[in-house]
Amino acid sequence: MVTDGGSNQEELSYTGKSHLNFKDDYTERMEGINKNAVLSKFDSHVIEDFIENYKNYEYGFSNLKQIISFRNHTQLVNYKITIK
C-alpha cells in the first residue's frame, strides 16, 4: 500500500501491513516507522527497495495487547489473533 496520510499509517501499524508513506521527510505520526512503514522521502532507491521487498516489512501477532490512542481518550484493546 502507498499512502500520504498519517491516519492510514497509524491504522496500518496495528494490522502489521507494510506500506510506503509518500511524504518528503516528515510524518505527523511515528506509528510503524522502521517497522511496517517506510518513509519514502521521494527517494527512488527507497521506493524501489520497498516495491521489491515489501513483504519484509509486514508482521503479525499471536497474542496482542495494544494501546490505541484516540484524540481525546485511550482505550485498551485486547486481541487474540491467530496467524495461519
Side-chain angles (χ1 to χ4, degrees), residues 1-72:
M1 171 169 293
V2 177
T3 181
D4 69 348
S7 297
N8 293 331
Q9 174 185 330
E10 181 179 3
E11 291 165 3
L12 289 165
S13 75
Y14 301 127
T15 68
K17 285 295 188 186
S18 62
H19 58 284
L20 183 65
N21 197 325
F22 227 57
K23 291 193 172 192
D24 192 6
D25 60 357
Y26 173 80
T27 178
E28 59 273 2
R29 294 187 172 90
M30 294 309 296
E31 291 86 356
I33 293 294
N34 296 324
K35 294 176 185 166
N36 67 317
V38 175
L39 189 59
S40 74
K41 300 182 182 181
F42 300 109
D43 181 326
S44 62
H45 298 291
V46 172
I47 295 167
E48 289 171 17
D49 179 69
F50 178 82
I51 291 169
E52 292 174 11
N53 302 296
Y54 70 92
K55 289 187 179 185
N56 294 339
Y57 296 99
E58 293 186 352
Y59 59 87
F61 303 99
S62 57
N63 288 309
L64 171 65
K65 284 186 178 179
Q66 190 158 13
I67 295 178
I68 300 175
S69 296
F70 295 95
R71 289 187 181 166
N72 297 322

